Amino acid sequence: MTKEYSVIGKSQVKVDALEKVLGTTKFAADYNLPDMLYGGVFRSTVAHATINSLKLEKAKALGGVEAVLDFHDIPGKNRFGIIIKDEPCLVDDKIRRYGDALAVVAARSPEILEAALALIEVDYNEIEPIFTFERALAADAPIIHGTTNIHQVKHLVCGDVDAAFERSDIIIENTYSTHRLSHMFIEPDAGIAYYDDEGLMTVVASTQNPHYDRNEVASLLGLPYNQVRVIQAATGGGFGGKLDISVQCHCALLTYHTRKPVKIVRSRSESTMVSSKRHPMIIKAKTGASRDGMLMALEVQMTGDTGAYASYGPAVITRAMAHCTGPYNIPNVRADATFVYTNNPMGGAFRGFGVPQVAVCHEGQMNQLARALSIDPIEIRIKNAHQIGSKLPTGQILENSVGFIETLEKARAKAEDVL
Amino acid sequence: MNKISISLNLNGTDRTILVYPNRRVVDLLREDFKLTSVKEGCSEGECGACTVIFNGDAVTTCCMLAGQADQSTIITLEGLAKDGELDLLQQCFLDEGAVQCGYCTPGMILAAKALLLKNQSPTEAQIKLAMSGNLCRCTGYQKIHAAVKSAVVIYKDKMAQGGESID
Ligand code: FES
Ligand code: FES
């Protein structure tokens, strides 16, 4: 007997769809206010360096330019970051990636803005840039943040892995690597800051994270939270890539100094250059199983590149660890994960937080095991599948809603249908 | 550089404007005419977010200079609904759930509209080809194609009953 619901099980028109098909929805770049200035960012063209000099005078002297600011102009804290505050709004100590923000400009037209940005001069003192995991861990490698390039290390141990490998009939060993990915949300980041009628610093932005943005803008400007308001404009896709700060702090800082509305719209290339990325990972896996295809042991070593700033790195490493067995019962597990800082683009949130990376590994292992044991690939998965009552290597018991076997059966039926 | 005078028919109204000849049509529409349904996603002709119907064809306005718009007819999404009544394609995009973030939607609807203006009973392959210049990062395209197909079917039914033509 199926119950009739008014909404569940029925196709619904999205609440905001009408405006979207009419073209009246306002995305961040569609906002315009009287007296509005156009903001832009002067960015580094090297990945690792200290700054000998940053010359802003010529840009400041250009007619129509209302503000040219560097880190000295930040009234509050010059560090943000969703979990670890390690990213500057404007570089103060050193450049850690290609595209780091060095200065911001507000001008009366986009043309003047472009001309002013071209007048800024910087002299770098370059440091060896670190682009690989191996180099990041070398004893003589320059340190990107603090005292070590190791961003996080995690371990997970469950059962007796060595003994289980001894008893295994077959062992499969492989190394998998996954690459850096860009979200490519179709709307490049954009936002506008202004003081509202009550004098509240207000930022309207393309964002997935307005509450977090509010806190960062307040901390940057040294304002209490109740003096800052962040409004999410209709947002043209994010997929995790709009959880970090993009234009919010730069807009707000320019408005703070000019007292005027300031809009920043990133170009596609600027957006792609500095937004977060999916963490590239290298995963070494050793899987032990019995002759009849029952998984017995798993040993995993994973390394990940969080790039220049932490962003959601600590969450990604944790999720990758917790999901390293995939949806399979493996009684004995040993997993070690190390994430490092490099001078690459920042790794961050991206649909799945590390889980898609480890999926490449556990599914690759299952396929190889199936082939080596001449067992049907779906059969071997069903044999080892999580069900209600399964215990994960983290100790969690799955108490309800484990639809894996059902999904596999349906996928098999569908495949038989089409193939 | 001197400004030039441009005259065009924009969403059914004759307009004349002074602009620099190197102004891109996307800026002309968004900034000068405040038609912000025209979106910018890539600025190099790849994503189709800036698509309008230009002299009957779907074109990307980020790759066009204002001078090219002189004496042209341009339709943006703002020009599609008539007297508050949705265009058939707009209705089908709603009904089929073809809209998620909505940033690609104006370009998608206009690309489809340009196709239907020329070919009232396109094949599936023709629909796919006509929409191939428009990227969507959210929907996975299935529902967008379903929306266009359903518009074609509904239109055929209407015509069979002696309805109005598509434009
Ligand atoms: S903005 Fe014109 S095609 Fe992408
Ligand atoms: S609905 Fe978001 S890009 Fe198409």
Side-chain angles (χ1 to χ4, degrees):
Chain A
M1 194 185 73
T2 29
K3 194 162 182 276
E4 273 290 306
Y5 295 99
S6 57
V7 171
I8 296 171
K10 299 219 169 73
S11 202
Q12 300 293 321
V13 173
K14 260 163 63 78
V15 286
D16 56 352
L18 179 62
E19 286 170 15
K20 286 174 174 173
V21 299
L22 286 169
T24 53
T25 300
K26 271 181 139 190
F27 291 83
D30 302 337
Y31 284 76
N32 289 300
L33 289 170
D35 262 347
M36 183 182 83
L37 303 173
Y38 296 83
V41 183
F42 181 78
R43 299 187 176 279
S44 73
T45 53
V46 296
H48 203 186
T50 53
I51 299 168
N52 290 332
S53 66
L54 182 65
K55 297 204 180 102
L56 308 175
E57 297 72 25
K58 284 187 201 159
K60 282 184 182 169
L62 187 69
V65 170
E66 302 221 356
V68 182
L69 311 172
D70 69 8
F71 75 91
H72 294 103
D73 302 300
I74 293 172
K77 232 177 121 204
N78 185 21
R79 282 293 179 280
F80 49 68
I82 190 82
I83 297 173
I84 300 171
K85 307 276 178 218
D86 62 0
E87 184 180 356
C89 173
L90 294 170
V91 166
D92 45 20
D93 58 345
K94 72 168 176 172
I95 291 159
R96 294 182 172 86
R97 67 166 161 195
Y98 190 98
D100 255 347
L102 308 186
V104 282
V105 177
R108 282 191 217 132
S109 76
E111 292 76 22
I112 300 171
L113 170 67
E114 212 175 299
L117 288 169
L119 288 173
I120 297 177
E121 287 164 40
V122 60
D123 183 29
Y124 303 115
N125 190 2
E126 286 198 58
I127 306 168
E128 179 206 334
I130 304 210
F131 296 131
T132 64
F133 183 84
E134 294 75 21
R135 189 64 195 134
L137 292 181
D140 63 338
I143 302 297
I144 297 166
H145 289 274
T147 57
T148 167
N149 287 333
I150 294 176
H151 162 54
Q152 296 237 318
V153 177
K154 299 256 180 196
H155 304 286
L156 177 67
V157 181
C158 159
D160 187 342
V161 178
D162 295 324
F165 276 128
E166 296 259 310
R167 290 196 320 270
S168 296
D169 298 317
I170 182 169
I171 289 178
I172 301 277
E173 279 189 85
N174 284 299
T175 301
Y176 300 86
S177 73
T178 64
H179 62 99
R180 185 174 288 105
L181 274 174
S182 188
H183 309 74
M184 276 310 150
F185 32 77
I186 211 92
E187 176 211 24
D189 318 76
I192 180 171
Y194 58 91
Y195 283 105
D196 78 359
D197 297 341
E198 291 160 24
L200 225 60
M201 169 59 77
T202 308
V203 181
V204 178
S206 172
T207 177
Q208 294 179 259
N209 219 350
H211 308 93
Y212 161 70
D213 297 349
R214 189 269 318 266
N215 298 0
E216 297 291 33
V217 169
S219 138
L220 178 86
L221 300 179
L223 294 173
Y225 288 169
N226 68 0
Q227 290 303 300
V228 178
R229 185 170 180 214
V230 174
I231 301 169
Q232 181 188 16
T235 297
F239 319 112
K242 287 178 180 167
L243 283 166
D244 301 279
I245 290 294
S246 63
V247 304
Q248 300 85 334
C249 287
H250 292 146
C251 283
L253 184 65
L254 286 165
T255 291
Y256 179 90
H257 283 278
T258 60
R259 315 293 300 174
K260 291 183 182 174
V262 177
K263 176 158 90 169
I264 297 182
V265 180
R266 282 184 180 169
S267 68
R268 169 60 62 190
S269 54
E270 187 180 16
S271 169
T272 306
M273 178 169 42
V274 294
S275 59
S276 71
K277 303 284 172 278
R278 186 183 290 291
H279 287 80
M281 285 175 59
I282 296 171
I283 307 164
K284 280 189 191 158
K286 178 176 170 187
T287 305
S290 67
R291 205 164 288 116
D292 58 354
M294 296 306 293
L295 295 171
M296 295 174 68
L298 172 71
E299 185 174 10
V300 170
Q301 282 154 359
M302 48 183 120
T303 56
D305 177 356
T306 205
Y309 300 105
S311 180
Y312 275 91
V316 170
I317 192 174
T318 306
R319 294 290 296 275
M321 288 289 285
H323 289 265
C324 70
T325 62
Y328 307 110
N329 295 311
I330 309 181
N332 305 290
V333 176
R334 179 164 59 224
D336 300 294
T338 306
F339 273 29
V340 295
Y341 283 116
T342 64
N343 297 111
N344 284 321
M346 162 179 100
F350 196 148
R351 288 180 160 183
F353 282 81
V355 180
Q357 286 95 316
V358 294
V360 170
C361 168
H362 56 69
E363 293 312 307
Q365 292 293 92
M366 291 306 274
N367 285 346
Q368 289 215 359
L369 209 52
R371 201 170 306 139
L373 294 172
S374 302
I375 302 177
D376 174 80
I378 290 195
E379 228 26 77
I380 198 170
R381 284 172 167 83
I382 290 175
K383 267 180 186 243
N384 292 284
H386 279 159
Q387 304 178 41
I388 288 179
S390 290
K391 189 173 176 198
L392 308 191
T394 54
Q396 183 188 353
I397 312 270
L398 300 180
E399 282 165 356
N400 45 45
S401 186
V402 184
F404 186 41
I405 293 180
E406 211 182 325
T407 307
L408 283 171
E409 298 286 12
K410 285 200 173 166
R412 170 151 59 190
K414 184 99 187 171
E416 278 162 6
D417 247 22
V418 273
L419 298 177
Chain B
M1 212 188 307
N2 290 328
K3 287 193 173 177
I4 55 169
S5 169
I6 287 184
S7 298
L8 72 163
N9 186 286
L10 187 52
N11 292 332
T13 310
D14 288 329
R15 309 289 296 261
T16 298
I17 191 169
L18 274 180
V19 286
Y20 287 110
N22 66 350
R23 192 148 181 79
R24 300 177 310 164
V25 174
V26 63
D27 299 320
L28 177 80
L29 296 171
R30 282 182 55 83
E31 309 294 332
D32 302 333
F33 289 117
K34 309 286 177 230
L35 296 169
T36 52
S37 79
V38 184
K39 297 293 178 228
E40 189 164 358
C42 70
S43 322
E44 53 184 41
E46 286 293 335
C47 73
C50 64
T51 299
V52 303
I53 303 178
F54 172 80
N55 294 337
D57 289 322
V59 302
T60 50
T61 53
C62 66
C63 299
M64 282 179 76
L65 295 181
Q68 293 173 273
D70 194 30
Q71 306 304 323
S72 70
T73 300
I74 290 182
I75 302 169
T76 70
L77 191 56
E78 286 89 345
L80 229 52
K82 296 261 156 56
D83 309 318
E85 203 185 313
L86 294 183
D87 182 272
L88 177 57
L89 275 163
Q90 290 172 311
Q91 189 62 50
C92 290
F93 268 65
L94 272 190
D95 295 343
E96 295 293 328
V99 179
Q100 281 191 34
C101 82
Y103 202 78
C104 71
T105 307
M108 287 288 180
I109 293 179
L110 292 172
K113 183 74 184 176
L115 169 69
L116 297 190
L117 284 173
K118 283 190 220 155
N119 177 357
Q120 269 103 62
S121 49
T123 62
E124 198 144 324
Q126 286 170 325
I127 294 175
K128 283 192 177 158
L129 185 65
M131 312 287 290
S132 63
N134 294 71
L135 300 181
C136 177
R137 267 301 270 131
C138 307
T139 63
Y141 301 101
Q142 295 272 4
K143 294 188 171 191
I144 293 174
H145 288 289
V148 180
K149 278 194 279 184
S150 110
V152 170
V153 171
I154 295 173
Y155 176 68
K156 268 188 202 151
D157 285 357
K158 277 195 183 160
M159 288 311 283
Q161 293 158 21
E164 280 174 48
S165 87
I166 199 126
D167 47 14

